[in-house]
Amino acid sequence: MFTEEAFQEALARPRLAKPAPEYLKSNRGVPIRAISEPELQEQTREWFDMFAKKLDFLERQGNDVAWLMTWAKKYWWSFLVRDMSINDELYAADLRYTDVTTFGRTIVGIDDFVTYNFAFFDAIPDWRYDPLPDQVYVDITPEGKVRIMIRYIGSGHFSGALRLYPYDGSAPTLYGDGRFIQCTAVDRYHFNTDRLMEEGETLYDF
């Protein structure tokens, strides 16, 4: 069950199966230093502190956005501890979502959204998400709709099979070799008047 205490416990709990290496094993043009789990944890604490200040500023300008903090805590907590019991407090029943792995298709509904997310957890059992400090952008339309974008890092050891769309036995599959991966991504979330995510998208590059 989500509580502030549960959220704080999740912040403090290590998730990686073993320490991150000093550098990522990648095909980039320059060596990329891996971010250690203690650094990730500290960055996440810093992100929530900065997000609180941003929302407080927007509230003082007359915008009703303070609820985004509770939503963000529940969202991050649910994925870090793999607890989907509060999905009805986070997502619209007809949620529409796209990801690199859908190859242009749209995921529709909470159940399929969960299946898509757990495809990553099955492939990377110690997968954790950590938002990057001060890299969240809040947009409010003239009609009052709230939309946000967040840049974050996914980290973990790719030891399983990553099934792509439709995330079942018929799906194209990538097989991990146990290496540690760490990649940045950008998420876009649109909320309805009930303060539930009704549309979203994830963009990234391994």
Side-chain angles (χ1 to χ4, degrees):
M1 182 178 70
F2 175 83
T3 63
E4 181 62 26
E5 285 185 0
F7 170 75
Q8 294 299 330
E9 288 174 4
L11 275 176
R13 184 192 312 162
R15 283 213 59 89
L16 296 182
K18 52 187 175 181
E22 184 177 3
Y23 291 95
L24 298 178
K25 185 178 179 181
S26 69
N27 61 356
R28 301 306 193 222
V30 296
I32 305 295
R33 188 184 76 82
I35 302 174
S36 70
E37 189 160 37
E39 290 176 283
L40 292 170
Q41 291 172 301
E42 183 56 35
Q43 285 186 2
T44 297
R45 293 186 189 94
E46 186 180 347
W47 185 90
F48 278 100
D49 288 343
M50 289 183 170
F51 192 40
K53 293 175 183 176
K54 179 170 290 189
L55 295 179
D56 182 61
F57 169 78
L58 292 171
E59 282 278 331
R60 293 199 305 271
Q61 312 308 308
N63 301 293
D64 180 18
V65 292
W67 58 270
L68 278 170
M69 177 57 76
T70 300
W71 189 94
K73 286 183 175 181
K74 288 181 176 179
Y75 182 71
W76 180 85
W77 172 85
S78 71
F79 281 121
L80 198 68
V81 304
R82 318 296 196 248
D83 187 324
M84 302 292 110
S85 63
I86 57 172
N87 283 348
D88 60 341
E89 301 174 32
L90 297 170
Y91 316 114
D94 58 351
L95 166 69
R96 298 175 63 83
Y97 206 91
T98 58
D99 179 270
V100 175
T101 59
T102 66
F103 304 107
R105 302 175 184 89
T106 299
I107 298 164
V108 180
I110 296 174
D111 288 346
D112 285 353
F113 179 68
V114 170
T115 298
Y116 140 71
N117 276 286
F118 272 81
F120 287 87
F121 298 145
D122 290 342
I124 314 165
D126 59 348
W127 193 231
R128 60 174 297 139
Y129 296 111
D130 294 280
L132 290 163
D134 206 30
Q135 297 196 39
V136 57
Y137 311 94
V138 181
D139 176 59
I140 303 169
T141 70
E143 297 75 28
K145 276 203 168 186
V146 176
R147 306 178 293 193
I148 63 175
M149 292 186 71
I150 303 172
R151 188 166 179 261
Y152 60 94
I153 293 178
S155 307
H157 294 86
F158 188 4
S159 58
L162 176 59
R163 300 187 189 282
L164 311 181
Y165 188 93
Y167 314 109
D168 60 18
S170 69
T173 304
L174 302 175
Y175 295 94
D177 60 4
R179 79 175 62 184
F180 178 78
I181 62 172
Q182 196 164 65
C183 68
T184 56
V186 175
D187 279 11
R188 170 180 61 86
Y189 307 144
H190 293 197
F191 297 91
N192 63 20
T193 54
D194 294 322
R195 301 176 175 178
L196 301 173
M197 189 209 298
E198 64 178 356
E199 178 185 332
E201 179 181 30
T202 295
L203 297 172
Y204 56 90
D205 178 14
F206 275 142

